[in-house]
Amino acid sequence: MREFSDDHDPQEPDTVGSPRFGRLLLVLLAAVLLVVLITFASEAYFTP
């Protein structure tokens, strides 16, 4: 009897605990670029 058993099928060994850092990095980069774009656009719009 396993103490920490679950009813899910075991995953492949190479996919267990491997987060998708590439996708996360792209999302973070897109968010930073969006903030920079909004900053420059608002500065250009509100500067007399």
Side-chain angles (χ1 to χ4, degrees), residues 6-41:
D6 57 356
D7 295 329
H8 301 296
D9 293 333
Q11 296 179 347
E12 295 294 324
D14 59 347
T15 60
V16 174
S18 61
R20 299 179 178 182
F21 289 115
R23 184 178 296 175
L24 178 63
L25 185 63
L26 288 176
V27 170
L28 290 175
L29 184 63
V32 169
L33 288 176
L34 183 63
V35 169
V36 169
L37 180 67
I38 291 172
T39 302
F40 280 118

Side-chain angles (χ1 to χ4, degrees), residues 37-47:
L37 180 67
I38 291 172
T39 302
F40 280 118
S42 63
E43 183 178 348
Y45 182 75
F46 289 115
T47 302

